[in-house]
Amino acid sequence: MVSLSSSAYQLLFCLLVLVFTPFPSHSADPDPLQDICVADLNATFSVNGYPCKPVSQSFPGLNTLGISMARADLSLGGLVPPHTHPRSSETVVVIKGEVLVGLVTTDNIYYSKVLTAGQMFAIPRGLVHFQLNVGQEKALILVAFNSQLPGIALVPTSLFGTTPPIPNQVLTKAFLVGDDVINEIKSKFGA
């Protein structure tokens, strides 16, 4: 049997503490390296978002600030189909119209609300969600993300419009339907 000195036990204890101590997660956007960065959308390369235009630009942009925004104009009955953002939470503000906003939690609980002008809805990162114009006029929404590159995965396209296609055997088992149903859906996505 090997005996260890008290200093060896102390060293072993310190090593175990280091090995099992959780390190902070760095899953957010990286810190910006400059105050203002106007994205060069015509750049031929992209590392983490877009590179910056020369500092002489007079209008600052959102590039490298860890946020982004979008505007969506929804026609009567218009839909932003079910989708997720793998790298961002989202807030939706209705500017005009009536919009049904819904999400599904990881526990498969569906939450929704019909929003009118001035109302807001928050969607946690990675959850499936949608927006549907349920009003009698065109709707306008503004969305904001806590990432400069939130990413988007449209659920219908991700399942039925991939290249190469997901095998019917997988989809028929997942949706408990026959090949004819899957093929009909795939045909709508050009698959």
Side-chain angles (χ1 to χ4, degrees):
M1 180 169 173
V2 177
S3 71
L4 298 174
S5 67
S6 64
S7 61
Y9 277 115
Q10 290 172 345
L11 178 61
L12 181 62
F13 175 77
C14 289
L15 287 173
L16 288 173
V17 167
L18 283 174
V19 167
F20 292 109
T21 300
F23 292 97
S25 172
H26 298 286
S27 59
D29 287 345
D31 289 333
L33 300 176
Q34 62 275 334
D35 292 330
I36 295 172
C37 176
V38 177
D40 183 355
L41 301 178
N42 297 318
T44 57
F45 68 94
S46 174
V47 177
N48 185 19
Y50 293 99
C52 303
K53 288 183 178 180
V55 180
S56 61
Q57 298 290 324
S58 61
F59 186 77
L62 298 178
N63 196 35
T64 76
L65 296 182
I67 58 174
S68 56
M69 296 186 75
R71 169 187 171 145
D73 295 278
L74 299 172
S75 60
L76 292 175
L79 172 70
V80 178
H83 62 282
T84 66
H85 301 287
R87 294 181 293 274
S88 180
S89 295
E90 175 181 347
T91 56
V92 178
V93 178
V94 175
I95 304 302
K96 176 184 173 188
E98 292 180 55
V99 179
L100 172 64
V101 179
L103 65 82
V104 180
T105 69
T106 57
D107 292 328
N108 279 340
I109 299 172
Y110 168 63
Y111 291 95
S112 67
K113 182 165 178 61
V114 174
L115 302 179
T116 58
Q119 293 183 313
M120 177 182 162
F121 197 91
I123 300 153
R125 178 178 56 193
L127 295 186
V128 173
H129 60 283
F130 66 87
Q131 294 91 18
L132 173 67
N133 181 355
V134 295
Q136 301 301 311
E137 63 179 341
K138 291 180 180 178
L140 169 62
I141 61 174
L142 294 179
V143 295
F145 303 97
N146 65 339
S147 172
Q148 70 188 33
L149 191 60
I152 187 168
L154 296 171
V155 174
T157 307
S158 294
L159 293 173
F160 300 104
T162 62
T163 303
I166 295 174
N168 278 16
Q169 181 182 11
V170 172
L171 296 173
T172 57
K173 287 184 179 190
F175 290 101
L176 305 174
V177 297
D179 274 330
D180 55 332
V181 173
I182 297 300
N183 289 333
E184 174 68 20
I185 295 170
K186 282 183 173 181
S187 72
K188 308 240 186 258
F189 291 91

